Amino acid sequence: MSRTRQQRLRPRTRGSSDVRMRSGFILIAIVLSFFGARLVQLQGLDPREYAAMAAADGSVTVTLPAERGDILDRNGEPLADSAAGLMVIADPALTAPRATELAKFLSTRLAVDYFRTLERLRVEDSRYQYIARQVPARIVSTVIDEARARASDAAEQALEAERDGDEEALAELEEIADAYNGLSTERDPVRVYPAGDVAANLVGFLGTPNPDGSAKPSAGFESMFNSYLAGTDGETSYQVGAGNKIPLGDSTIVEPTDGRDLVTTIDRDLQFFTQRIVRQTVRQSGGESGIGVVMDTRTGDILALADDPTYDLNKPDEASEDDYKSRAMTDVYEPGSVEKVLTVAGLIDAGKVTNRTRLLVPGRLDRQDRSIGDYFDHGLLRLTLAGVIAKSSNIGTVLAADKFEDGQLRDYLTRFGLGQRTNIGVGGETAGLLPDDSMWTSQTQDRIAFGQSLSVNAVQMTAAVNTIANDGVRIDPSLIKGSATTDEGTEVGTDVATTRRVVSDDAAHQTMLMMERVLDPEEGVAPGAAVPGYRVAGKTGTAQRVGEECGCYDGTFTVSFAGFAPADDPRFTVYVVVQDPTNGGGGGSVAGPAFSRIMSYALRRYAVPPTGTPASRLPVEWR
């Protein structure tokens, strides 16, 4: 090409570049103007409309459940703990259009109420609704996997509908996919009870969830120490758009504070054994119910507290609500002749008698309002006080109690803890009944001296008998190791247990020697309560029961046996009570053998050796 031709073309090329540049600037200006106009519109012209649009996605606040504290036995074995669980959550913005279908799907697979679920799936202006809480993870995972599969199938079919141009089918299938994808899960530990019925009446359980889906304690420690165990839930809030979390959106988190473990004084293995023996005893005697208590004599720790009937904590709905309570704490009854050991211990402490005091015991004793008799027919007996206890004579006890000064017997029984709650952390505990001074007459004292016209609960009576075993010093019974505060605001446990002297150590020792004679095969009324190789001190009880309908003695009985071993160096105090046995047996024949088996197991389990000393040979009669 010639130089002249090149010169003619060069200005034309430069002109084309300028045109392109100007066109580009104009295009950029148009785009910027558009964005500027939109910005002005958002910030100044119609902010409410766009804020509402943002809020349509908005933010979600999710509860972060605290893990509930475990309930443990004294050795750290779980009575209640938390296993892997999940909560099921719905996003009503996605689930509402298919709520009927989803409610049926969820109610059949998670056993949740259909109508309540339907309501929650349809809640307006909400992105977060509980459907089910504290469900085992394996169950929830199966349900959510099925939901995801249904969502996936619907999404694939939607693609086919889109290719086919079927707008109606496309809309329906997308709605189905969104609905099933609107279900999600969060961690939510579930309560489990690995020991089943062991200590069920003490532990309690978590029942029907509260309206917000949180656990609702229904009985036992779960209820009494709910705040202590529950901890505090946390929460996290984050922004969502189109049903999904915005990765770089604002978010906050408050971590949960887990609950504290509640350590009990219960020995799980001893509890299991005691429950089985009590159950067998109730069945074999044709009884209505039974109680077994094992207390550490030296510390006051309750190692076992068995109630029968009981129930499986994992299946509470299969039991009667009457069986949820601890009868050992809530039921009161007249203790019968077990109370006699408290009477005689007080008499000895007051300097009125010794265990060798001689008494003339007639076959009947006429008092102001009635004639008092013994459970066995007899003529005039020459019994020592030890003989009165060995043969469980009501008449002999009343004659001895005549030596009390006014008010003395009531004062002693009060110091033993009768008529007062133990406050060991069990809901519904009764105080029993010890008549006050205004109702205390000579006739009342006669009956109370041998265990009628007053009432007790089983732990209260165990602690009273344990006072004799513990050299005359009463120690508060405890069910909680260390200390914990109930929801009622009462601090309980071994750290706050108190002691007080009730009778002298000599009075306790003399009473112990008399109680040994109760198990003598020739002189006593309860040889079946003996534990081979060990010295055992004990006392039977057989008391009439007051019927609820008539308010009078109805011909049924409470039978019991309380004692401790080794008698001269006590390690455990055991108390067995059976209500309304129908086989005609009394405290010695019904409760005595159960006491023997429970005490024998406890002594072996804790490797307590026999003391190797001879048993009491106190004289029972005098000439």
Side-chain angles (χ1 to χ4, degrees):
M1 183 180 296
S2 66
R3 180 183 179 91
T4 302
R5 175 68 174 165
Q6 289 176 350
Q7 288 174 342
R8 278 200 304 266
L9 291 177
R10 189 175 296 125
R12 195 171 183 175
T13 302
R14 186 182 301 116
S16 297
S17 297
D18 291 342
V19 170
R20 285 196 298 270
M21 289 179 66
R22 282 195 294 271
S23 299
F25 286 137
I26 292 171
L27 180 60
I28 292 171
I30 292 171
V31 172
L32 289 175
S33 297
F34 172 78
F35 280 115
R38 294 292 287 172
L39 183 61
V40 170
Q41 185 180 29
L42 284 171
Q43 292 183 340
L45 298 181
D46 197 6
R48 292 186 181 180
E49 179 181 348
Y50 288 94
M53 291 174 61
D57 288 328
S59 64
V60 166
T61 299
V62 178
T63 297
L64 300 178
E67 183 164 330
R68 194 172 181 86
D70 295 342
I71 301 176
L72 307 170
D73 88 336
R74 63 186 302 106
N75 300 310
E77 295 296 327
L79 299 171
D81 61 9
S82 298
L86 295 169
M87 66 176 78
V88 178
I89 303 158
D91 180 351
L94 299 177
T95 60
R98 310 296 297 190
T100 302
E101 176 184 340
L102 277 177
K104 183 177 180 181
F105 171 79
L106 293 167
S107 63
T108 56
R109 287 157 178 78
L110 294 175
V112 292
D113 182 80
Y114 171 83
F115 295 102
R116 185 178 300 151
T117 301
L118 183 64
E119 181 182 353
R120 289 177 177 174
L121 292 169
R122 288 173 168 169
V123 174
E124 296 181 359
D125 301 323
S126 173
R127 304 301 304 268
Y128 189 90
Q129 287 291 314
Y130 295 112
I131 300 300
R133 290 204 60 180
Q134 297 182 333
V135 184
R138 57 181 177 77
I139 295 176
V140 174
S141 297
T142 300
V143 174
I144 295 300
D145 286 347
E146 185 177 351
R148 294 287 178 266
R150 291 192 178 196
S152 179
D153 290 344
E156 290 180 7
Q157 293 174 36
L159 290 174
E160 294 178 7
E162 186 176 21
R163 285 195 296 266
D164 296 340
D166 189 342
E167 295 296 331
E168 184 177 345
L170 174 62
E172 181 179 4
L173 290 166
E174 286 181 337
E175 187 177 86
I176 293 172
D178 287 343
Y180 281 98
N181 280 326
L183 300 176
S184 60
T185 64
E186 293 285 350
R187 170 185 169 274
D188 197 12
V190 63
R191 202 63 162 170
V192 295
Y193 302 95
D197 69 351
V198 176
N201 305 84
L202 293 176
V203 173
F205 61 95
L206 299 184
T208 305
N210 291 309
D212 67 352
S214 61
K216 180 179 181 180
S218 291
F221 291 151
E222 294 279 31
S223 178
M224 285 295 288
F225 296 94
N226 182 50
S227 298
Y228 185 92
L229 291 162
T232 304
D233 289 346
E235 65 177 30
T236 179
S237 298
Y238 53 82
Q239 290 183 307
V240 294
N244 298 308
K245 181 177 180 180
I246 300 174
L248 299 180
D250 292 338
S251 64
T252 60
I253 184 169
V254 177
E255 295 291 349
T257 302
D258 290 341
R260 290 169 287 179
D261 292 345
L262 186 70
V263 182
T264 72
T265 61
I266 295 295
D267 178 329
R268 195 170 79 168
D269 290 347
L270 181 55
Q271 175 75 27
F272 173 87
F273 184 83
T274 303
Q275 286 185 205
R276 297 307 180 265
I277 297 303
V278 171
R279 178 179 299 173
Q280 291 174 16
T281 302
V282 172
R283 303 295 184 275
Q284 291 170 3
S285 67
E288 175 185 294
S289 63
I291 298 167
V293 186
V294 182
M295 177 183 284
D296 186 311
T297 299
R298 302 166 184 172
T299 66
D301 290 4
I302 302 293
L303 304 178
L305 198 159
D307 290 277
D308 185 78
T310 187
Y311 65 104
D312 187 337
L313 288 167
N314 296 300
K315 304 173 183 177
D317 293 341
E318 297 180 4
S320 165
E321 289 188 12
D322 290 340
D323 294 337
Y324 293 166
K325 65 182 180 179
S326 172
R327 291 178 174 84
M329 304 302 300
T330 62
D331 288 4
V332 294
Y333 55 90
E334 296 188 352
S337 295
V338 171
E339 195 276 339
K340 291 173 181 173
V341 301
L342 310 184
T343 298
V344 299
L347 282 166
I348 296 171
D349 183 72
K352 306 299 183 181
V353 297
T354 72
N355 54 20
R356 294 173 181 267
T357 293
R358 298 177 176 185
L359 297 164
L360 285 172
V361 181
R364 304 294 298 180
L365 182 63
D366 293 324
R367 301 300 249 196
Q368 295 91 329
D369 62 341
R370 68 185 64 189
S371 180
I372 297 173
D374 285 326
Y375 76 94
F376 60 102
D377 294 330
H378 61 81
L380 183 67
L381 297 177
R382 292 177 171 83
L383 297 178
T384 64
L385 190 59
V388 167
I389 295 300
K391 297 186 180 299
S392 198
S393 170
N394 295 339
I395 298 171
T397 305
V398 170
L399 292 172
D402 284 344
K403 300 178 184 297
F404 275 123
E405 297 175 11
D406 289 346
Q408 269 192 314
L409 176 57
R410 189 180 189 283
D411 287 346
Y412 275 111
L413 296 181
T414 299
R415 286 156 63 184
F416 273 113
L418 273 55
Q420 307 153 61
R421 291 183 179 86
T422 63
N423 290 323
I424 59 175
V426 176
E429 181 186 0
T430 53
L433 175 64
L434 184 64
D436 61 29
D437 292 333
S438 64
M439 300 175 62
W440 196 279
T441 65
S442 60
Q443 296 96 318
T444 302
Q445 177 157 309
D446 287 348
R447 294 189 290 272
I448 288 177
F450 59 82
Q452 298 217 229
S453 293
L454 79 164
S455 62
V456 298
N457 71 47
V459 172
Q460 187 184 67
M461 198 64 197
T462 304
V465 174
N466 191 71
T467 301
I468 297 170
N470 196 39
D471 295 329
V473 176
R474 184 187 181 280
I475 184 168
D476 289 341
S478 295
L479 273 170
I480 305 301
K481 294 289 286 184
S483 68
T485 301
T486 70
D487 281 14
E488 297 173 349
T490 303
E491 187 178 12
V492 300
T494 55
D495 286 355
V496 295
T498 62
T499 62
R500 65 171 177 267
R501 179 162 291 283
V502 177
V503 297
S504 67
D505 56 357
D506 178 64
H509 181 73
Q510 287 195 52
T511 304
M512 176 274 290
L513 295 174
M514 290 189 286
M515 292 172 69
E516 275 195 286
R517 301 298 275 151
V518 172
L519 288 84
D520 187 275
E522 296 178 0
E523 304 290 356
V525 294
V531 177
Y534 290 86
R535 292 178 62 176
V536 178
K539 185 67 192 76
T540 58
T542 302
Q544 300 178 78
R545 300 203 312 169
V546 175
E548 292 184 4
E549 295 183 2
C550 69
C552 61
Y553 290 128
D554 62 3
T556 62
F557 294 88
T558 300
V559 303
S560 58
F561 190 93
F564 47 88
D568 55 335
D569 188 14
R571 185 69 175 82
F572 304 112
T573 297
V574 173
Y575 186 35
V576 177
V577 183
V578 177
Q579 297 292 349
D580 191 23
T582 56
N583 66 351
S589 60
V590 173
F595 165 91
S596 174
R597 294 177 66 185
I598 295 168
M599 179 63 82
S600 178
Y601 182 88
L603 292 169
R604 292 196 313 271
R605 176 164 174 75
Y606 285 84
V608 179
T611 57
T613 57
S616 168
R617 299 301 301 171
L618 277 173
V620 171
E621 298 184 46
W622 59 274
R623 298 186 184 279

